[in-house]
Amino acid sequence: MRKIDLEEMKALQLQILKEVTEFCGKNKINYWLDCGTLLGAIRHKGYIPWDDDIDIGMLREDYNKFMKLFNKESKRYKFYSAENNSEFHYLFGKVLDSYTVLYEDKYKLAVNIDVFVYDNVPDNKQAIRKMYKNIYGKCFGIRYSWNGIQNKRKRKLAHGISLALRAVPASYLRKKAIENLKRYQYVPTKLVGNFTSQTEMVCSKEVFQEFIEVEFEGGYYKAPIGYDAWLRAFYNDYMKLPPLEERVPKHKTEAYWIGKEGKNNDL
């Protein structure tokens, strides 16, 4: 297997993004550049110089449609989520290049882009906090992410909890956490939020009433018309660069090209 360096990995990520956006256009599925990718598009017209991944977002209805249809049409690229693969260990989805393999921490994946799902949230702040504090979601996060906690005392406590949680099947925790995400799926709320990470991100649905195109690495992709409000909800003063010590890649990965003949089916 030939190792894939960072620049080649970014090129492969862009290929995935193009495949996904063409599929979404053909099937009338809305998506948008999300998180650091949207920030990179607005501030740098491409990757944030120290970033190393691509994120897109979808509202639940579009996410469900994408999950239902994408794998039926795509041969090389495959969409995985905890909802279509009980062994998949993230609460959000990923589109993976099955001709590659990627190791991140203890997980075997493939070169990929993240697909975050945004769900209806209640208009009451206390109810929102209750959803974010959902016990199954927190237990799932602690089970896999305890070592990312900066505070030493809290990290030690979380490590102990994670060891105790080994007795609880991860698939059960994922299932219950996803049920929590969908709690307001059919309720006409004014807000949406991302409950699959620690960002506690909530924003008005009006942000997504329409979409525009923004430049990213020489191509043009969708962004919500309210991207300014969206990015401020994420990053506050998003045009301000972070301190130099924070301008580092956030993932520790190793990727390899295995080619068509060595197609990665073990995901």
Side-chain angles (χ1 to χ4, degrees):
M1 296 189 297
R2 179 171 63 82
K3 190 170 184 179
I4 298 170
D5 64 21
L6 179 58
E7 290 308 309
E8 188 176 13
M9 185 165 69
K10 287 182 176 181
L12 291 171
Q13 291 170 352
L14 284 168
Q15 287 180 21
I16 300 172
L17 179 62
K18 290 174 183 177
E19 179 87 4
V20 167
T21 56
E22 288 175 7
F23 175 86
C24 287
K26 185 171 68 172
N27 289 278
K28 296 181 172 56
I29 295 172
N30 279 322
Y31 76 94
W32 63 87
L33 300 184
D34 201 20
C35 307
T37 304
L38 179 57
L39 175 57
I42 300 303
R43 196 169 66 191
H44 306 276
K45 297 188 183 301
Y47 282 95
I48 296 172
W50 51 90
D51 203 2
D52 55 4
D53 68 348
I54 287 178
D55 308 309
I56 65 172
M58 295 180 185
L59 297 176
R60 173 62 68 178
E61 183 178 357
D62 292 297
Y63 185 88
N64 287 346
K65 186 176 180 181
F66 184 83
M67 180 166 53
K68 180 180 178 180
L69 298 178
F70 185 78
N71 290 348
K72 294 179 181 179
E73 295 191 23
S74 179
K75 296 190 183 336
R76 174 173 174 175
Y77 304 108
K78 295 299 177 184
F79 177 72
Y80 285 85
S81 75
E83 293 163 83
N84 69 2
N85 185 328
S86 62
E87 299 302 314
F88 194 71
H89 52 265
Y90 295 97
L91 295 180
F92 55 90
K94 287 178 177 284
V95 179
L96 300 106
D97 181 347
S98 64
Y99 294 177
T100 68
V101 63
L102 178 144
Y103 299 97
E104 183 172 358
D105 297 325
K106 61 182 178 180
Y107 302 122
K108 178 186 176 185
L109 291 165
V111 175
N112 65 83
I113 68 171
D114 294 330
V115 185
F116 291 105
V117 57
Y118 288 80
D119 286 286
N120 289 350
V121 301
D123 300 323
N124 178 283
K125 288 184 178 180
Q126 289 183 333
I128 292 173
R129 291 299 303 155
K130 185 177 179 180
M131 287 187 72
Y132 277 124
K133 291 181 178 179
N134 172 264
I135 185 65
Y136 294 107
K138 292 300 181 186
C139 285
F140 179 81
I142 289 173
R143 179 181 172 121
Y144 287 104
S145 305
W146 64 268
N147 57 347
I149 298 173
Q150 298 301 313
N151 182 283
K152 290 183 179 180
R153 184 181 64 81
K154 290 183 178 180
R155 185 167 66 246
K156 185 176 180 180
L157 176 62
H159 185 207
I161 295 173
S162 74
L163 292 175
L165 286 171
R166 300 288 172 86
V168 182
S171 58
Y172 175 79
L173 293 176
R174 281 193 293 267
K175 178 183 176 182
K176 300 301 287 187
I178 289 170
E179 287 176 4
N180 177 61
L181 305 183
K182 297 179 178 180
R183 187 183 301 181
Y184 291 87
Q185 186 174 0
Y186 302 109
V187 179
T189 66
K190 296 178 182 179
L191 303 173
V192 293
N194 176 4
F195 296 87
T196 64
S197 65
Q198 303 302 313
T199 56
E200 301 194 4
M201 175 63 206
V202 174
C203 200
S204 169
K205 283 184 183 176
E206 292 182 357
V207 166
F208 307 103
Q209 290 300 305
E210 297 179 51
F211 294 89
I212 60 173
E213 288 194 335
V214 295
E215 185 177 354
F216 184 82
E217 296 296 333
Y220 288 84
Y221 304 95
K222 284 188 177 182
I225 195 165
Y227 71 81
D228 179 69
W230 191 237
L231 287 173
R232 289 186 187 281
F234 261 113
Y235 303 107
N236 296 316
D237 184 6
Y238 61 87
M239 295 301 287
K240 182 180 179 181
L241 293 173
L244 282 172
E245 63 270 16
E246 295 180 16
R247 300 179 198 178
V248 294
K250 59 185 177 180
H251 302 104
K252 294 181 180 179
T253 62
E254 284 192 3
Y256 299 88
W257 175 259
I258 57 178
K260 186 175 180 179
E261 291 73 19
K263 190 173 179 180
N264 188 352
N265 294 311
D266 187 22
L267 294 171

